[in-house]
Amino acid sequence: HFLAVENDMEGVSWLHSKGAAIDTKSEFGTPAIFEVAQLEYKELLAWFIRKGADIHAVDADGNGLEAYLEEYEQTEMREHVRQYGV
């Protein structure tokens, strides 16, 4: 999760190749892909989705990705993630 929020695609990819869960969540229950999207890491977000990350996951409050991005006023990323069927 830490490597994802640091936009370290190589590190995330390496961990995934060693069996790390693609749908990992922070200690607060936020899926890594939510924070990747919030930070506008479009390439890394696409990588997560290609590797099978659950784009319909919810955070600890029951919010999906689009609602999470709305909460953080990420209008552009909300539009961007819609191409993935969110």
Side-chain angles (χ1 to χ4, degrees):
H1 190 268
F2 175 77
L3 293 175
V5 298
E6 292 298 318
N7 200 23
D8 185 348
M9 188 177 308
E10 184 177 316
V12 171
S13 180
W14 182 84
L15 285 174
H16 179 62
S17 74
K18 301 298 180 193
I22 196 77
D23 289 318
T24 187
K25 294 184 177 185
S26 72
E27 62 186 270
F28 305 107
T30 306
I33 61 167
F34 284 29
E35 294 186 79
V36 165
Q38 178 196 2
L39 294 166
E40 300 181 359
Y41 300 152
K42 292 179 181 177
E43 239 181 275
L44 186 56
L45 177 66
W47 180 91
F48 267 90
I49 293 168
R50 280 193 312 273
K51 295 298 180 180
D54 181 6
I55 61 170
H56 301 292
V58 295
D59 64 13
D61 296 323
N63 294 317
L65 179 55
E66 193 171 356
Y68 180 84
L69 291 172
E70 183 176 346
E71 181 180 337
Y72 286 94
E73 299 178 359
Q74 294 290 327
T75 305
E76 181 184 332
M77 281 304 289
R78 282 181 54 223
E79 293 296 323
H80 178 75
V81 300
R82 286 184 181 146
Q83 73 177 308
Y84 299 110
V86 172

